[in-house]
Amino acid sequence: RELLAHLRGECSLEAAIDDAVVATRRFARRQERWFRRDPRIVWLDVGDDPLEVLDRVLEHFDACRR
């Protein structure tokens, strides 16, 4: 949407990029609020070691299959 607004001459490229960043953050917050209510969702810290995260994901899937 933001890029199309720029291509139509409604805003500068910088404004379109800024608007896209804001819209993306809003979307992420909406998703987080939506999924927070679902007890099946398991949140992982993406700052952790990727192999540790992978181990936790695999453990979770194994537990769900039982």
Side-chain angles (χ1 to χ4, degrees):
R1 179 182 317 172
E2 293 79 11
L3 180 58
L4 291 176
H6 167 67
L7 293 175
R8 287 191 299 262
E10 298 171 4
C11 64
S12 68
L13 179 58
E14 293 79 18
I17 292 170
D18 290 343
D19 291 347
V21 168
V22 169
T24 300
R25 286 186 180 139
R26 282 185 188 145
F27 181 67
R29 280 195 303 266
R30 275 197 319 268
Q31 283 186 319
E32 185 179 42
R33 282 192 296 268
W34 174 267
F35 287 121
R36 193 180 307 149
R37 292 179 272 171
D38 190 333
R40 299 170 299 169
I41 301 299
V42 176
W43 296 99
L44 300 173
D45 183 357
V46 295
D48 289 344
D49 176 33
L51 293 178
E52 288 180 28
V53 172
L54 177 60
D55 286 341
R56 283 186 277 166
V57 168
L58 294 176
E59 287 171 9
H60 179 73
F61 280 125
D62 284 343
C64 290
R65 290 193 304 189
R66 292 181 205 153

